[in-house]
Amino acid sequence: MFISRIRVLSLLLLCVSHLALAAPKQVQLTYEATRNGQPFATVNETYRQEGNRYHIESVTKGVGVYALFGERRLTSSGEVTAQGLKPEHFELHQGDNEKRSLYTDFDWANNQLKMKVKGKLNTVSLEPGAQDISSFIYQFMFAAPAGAELKLPVTTGKKLRTYHYQIDAKSDALEVAAGKFKVMHLSEAVADEDGKELWLAVEQHYLPVKLMMVDDKGSKIEQVLTSINVE
């Protein structure tokens, strides 16, 4: 019995390892962002893995009058493990306004999440498997959503909260500017002020084809894929 359990565990670890190896080493995604149906920004995302290290950069550039707000830049870096992404540092910058910048460090050794907001440090307990708002969508490349629901601790840079999604496992077809994709739909299990709906490309490493949310002013924000490059 003991030997049998060891064999099962070894097989599980091997499967996880194969998933990590199968994940792409470089991803480039471009999205059009709309507010209540009107385009307001272009989002360019890059994911790069070198060895057991990863780096993510997301740059949002406004169009028209929205360009006056400056670029919104998010970065996430850390380690790639058998379980997927293990963030170590996250930053968010809005234009040249340093007061709106956020800095987050994941202190896994001491199980602490250190979030610096407007120069003030807020430290909370670091939950296992925690991600930041840039890394969490790429974590699906390593751990595809399964079952009826998904709970994932995610930091926004200001706080740590649990994203709670219902999973619609059937693969519907969704056609966007980047092409036609079989998608899995993740919707909010509980209404939340900054929750998102996600449509993930089942045959493209569960990368997001579409994201939707309602902002604090009640506007409907959609982010739809216009181009994808996976290596």
Side-chain angles (χ1 to χ4, degrees):
M1 177 67 74
F2 181 70
I3 294 176
S4 178
R5 288 178 179 176
I6 291 177
R7 287 175 177 170
V8 170
L9 180 59
S10 298
L11 286 172
L12 288 173
L13 290 174
L14 185 61
C15 289
V16 171
S17 177
H18 283 332
L19 284 173
L21 290 172
K25 298 294 187 293
Q26 186 163 309
V27 177
Q28 294 175 307
L29 306 171
T30 302
Y31 298 89
E32 179 187 57
T34 61
R35 175 179 280 110
N36 296 328
Q38 298 299 314
F40 76 92
T42 298
V43 183
N44 288 293
E45 299 243 348
T46 59
Y47 166 90
R48 185 176 68 255
Q49 179 184 340
E50 295 181 357
N52 68 339
R53 306 292 302 173
Y54 81 86
H55 181 79
I56 296 167
E57 183 173 63
S58 174
V59 180
T60 301
K61 295 183 178 180
V63 297
V65 297
Y66 294 103
L68 299 175
F69 295 98
E71 293 183 356
R72 182 175 186 260
R73 185 180 300 270
L74 289 74
T75 60
S76 174
S77 57
E79 184 182 1
V80 180
T81 72
Q83 290 73 41
L85 303 183
K86 190 175 183 179
E88 294 174 358
H89 185 73
F90 167 76
E91 293 186 13
L92 182 154
H93 302 279
Q94 180 65 56
D96 297 325
N97 189 347
E98 181 60 25
K99 292 182 179 180
R100 300 183 66 181
S101 294
L102 306 174
Y103 302 88
T104 301
D105 288 304
F106 292 73
D107 184 354
W108 294 103
N110 296 300
N111 291 319
Q112 291 185 331
L113 184 68
K114 301 175 180 178
M115 297 169 286
K116 188 177 180 181
V117 183
K118 295 182 179 179
K120 295 182 179 180
L121 185 63
N122 178 29
T123 301
V124 300
S125 296
L126 183 53
E127 299 181 27
Q131 301 290 324
D132 57 60
I133 54 173
S134 281
S135 68
F136 93 96
I137 61 173
Y138 293 96
Q139 173 64 4
F140 297 138
M141 298 192 303
F142 301 89
E149 62 179 15
L150 168 70
K151 292 184 179 181
L152 185 65
V154 178
T155 178
T156 62
K158 292 183 177 180
K159 60 182 179 179
L160 179 67
R161 57 177 292 268
T162 299
Y163 282 4
H164 187 186
Y165 291 110
Q166 289 182 334
I167 300 173
D168 184 356
K170 68 177 185 294
S171 298
D172 290 329
L174 178 62
E175 188 165 5
V176 295
K180 191 172 184 179
F181 301 87
K182 289 183 179 180
V183 294
M184 172 188 288
H185 180 215
L186 273 59
S187 60
E188 291 180 271
V190 179
D192 194 277
E193 71 274 10
D194 57 357
K196 297 179 178 69
E197 285 189 66
L198 307 172
W199 286 260
L200 308 177
V202 174
E203 297 174 344
Q204 283 286 353
H205 307 282
Y206 292 88
L207 292 165
V209 172
K210 178 180 175 181
L211 303 90
M212 185 177 72
M213 64 174 288
V214 177
D215 68 14
D216 55 2
K217 296 180 180 179
S219 297
K220 182 180 178 181
I221 308 297
E222 290 188 323
Q223 192 172 305
V224 180
L225 190 67
T226 58
S227 70
I228 178 172
N229 182 49
V230 177
E231 298 178 15

